[in-house]
Amino acid sequence: MESDPVLPLYDKLNWDAPAGPLRCTACVPTDGHPIAGAYPSALWHYETILGPLAGQRSDARILFVLQDPRAGEHNFIAMPPEIHPALLRGGEHRYFCLTSAAWRALRLDVATGSNKPCWPTLETGHHYLRRYLTRAGTWSYDGFLAYFIDLLRPADALITNLAKCHFGGASQPKRVYRTCARVQMNDEVALFRPNLVVSLSSCFDADIATKYAVTLRQVPVIRLFHPASFEGREGRRARLIAEIEQYRAELIALKIPVDAAVRRWNADVQLTARR
């Protein structure tokens, strides 16, 4: 666990929140015990399973922010962080990581011809995007997260939820998002020290970033559509390009290959539309 950037936080958060040693009580007085929680994953989890991210890396330290965990998972066995990713078996899954369970659920074994999870290539990258561009299919977001990591070539990456626990209902109370940003995300940011945020949550807005996740105030935030949103393929394609153009100078300063990333993104989106 020496490579895990947020290891000190794991005694505050747990997957099976009601049964586990829940120590975060920031929302308990009015919302009751959460149904489920979620651990973040880091680039080292991906590299343990997929191998080293090859090629030239940028200077970016990217924090990927999704929204909140689901109420429960019945498609896989959620494993705690003390289990090394290389030791996962069968249906065991590390949240936010492209494990063998996620690889099969996404049918990337069939699409790529490989039984072993691996990084996307120029030839296979569009297969990793299907879950993001179509909204249909599987519980796993881990394929398109691997794609975005490979596209932006970070020196390091951390993937987390804005809300660490699920309290039921169609969506979390907005107060839960604000509280988690203030109580938990600021600690994650202090440990990981990101210089770029890629948000896939509509709830991670300017209000939360400036008022609650105060440690992110000076960090560029690329805002993409959540994978469950109703925005179509073209809207998602255009949003990423617009966000890249808005922060072009900052991304170039981080040595992210902006023009190559845009070309690859456009080509892969077109390929998913044809098949």
Side-chain angles (χ1 to χ4, degrees):
M1 300 294 291
E2 292 181 359
S3 300
D4 200 321
V6 293
L7 179 62
L9 300 184
Y10 288 147
D11 65 348
K12 297 171 62 178
L13 302 170
N14 56 272
W15 167 260
D16 193 10
L22 179 67
R23 292 180 176 85
C24 176
T25 58
C27 298
V28 167
T30 58
D31 294 291
H33 284 290
I35 301 168
Y39 298 115
S41 281
L43 177 57
W44 85 272
H45 294 104
Y46 276 80
E47 291 190 306
T48 298
I49 296 173
L50 278 61
L53 182 62
Q56 187 171 356
R57 307 276 275 272
S58 70
D59 291 338
R61 295 179 58 84
I62 303 178
L63 177 67
F64 289 88
V65 181
L66 283 95
Q67 194 149 307
D68 49 25
R70 289 174 284 269
E73 296 294 356
H74 307 289
N75 299 300
F76 61 84
I77 303 168
M79 300 303 288
E82 60 265 22
I83 305 300
H84 195 280
L87 301 178
L88 296 178
R89 299 174 298 177
E92 296 176 345
H93 178 60
R94 166 78 193 203
Y95 210 63
F96 290 141
C97 189
L98 190 52
T99 60
S100 293
W103 185 255
R104 293 190 302 271
L106 290 164
R107 293 184 60 80
L108 285 170
D109 52 344
V110 177
T112 65
S114 173
N115 290 324
K116 184 179 184 299
C118 56
W119 290 104
T121 66
L122 293 178
E123 292 74 29
T124 65
H126 60 285
H127 295 299
Y128 293 66
L129 278 178
R130 291 188 184 282
R131 177 66 182 86
Y132 180 66
L133 294 174
T134 64
R135 295 183 65 243
T138 175
W139 47 264
S140 178
Y141 293 171
D142 315 301
F144 72 74
L145 288 169
Y147 178 91
F148 286 130
I149 291 172
D150 191 64
L151 186 74
L152 298 173
R153 319 299 301 161
D156 205 353
L158 181 71
I159 305 136
T160 193
N161 274 318
L162 172 57
K164 309 307 183 196
C165 295
H166 185 91
F167 281 84
S171 61
Q172 303 277 23
K174 193 166 185 179
R175 184 179 62 80
V176 173
Y177 295 117
R178 295 195 297 261
T179 301
C180 253
R182 175 175 55 81
V183 175
Q184 305 292 2
M185 184 164 284
N186 275 319
D187 287 345
E188 286 180 304
V189 170
L191 288 168
F192 181 61
R193 304 184 313 281
N195 51 25
L196 178 64
V197 175
V198 175
S199 171
L200 292 116
S201 167
S202 60
C203 294
F204 188 80
D205 54 21
D207 181 62
I208 284 181
T210 57
K211 293 182 180 178
Y212 299 96
V214 295
T215 45
L216 291 175
R217 283 180 178 172
Q218 305 302 318
V219 178
V221 178
I222 293 178
R223 296 191 65 196
L224 306 181
F225 291 110
H226 187 275
S229 74
F230 287 96
E231 189 64 35
R233 186 191 315 271
E234 178 55 32
R236 293 170 196 261
R237 185 197 69 82
R239 169 64 74 86
L240 184 140
I241 293 174
E243 292 291 294
I244 283 179
E245 290 302 327
Q246 179 179 349
Y247 294 106
R248 173 177 280 269
E250 291 87 345
L251 298 182
I252 290 175
L254 293 173
K255 299 180 182 177
I256 292 176
V258 171
D259 292 330
V262 169
R263 287 194 300 270
R264 180 180 175 187
W265 169 251
N266 280 329
D268 285 333
V269 172
Q270 285 185 335
L271 283 171
T272 61
R274 294 174 188 169
R275 304 184 182 202

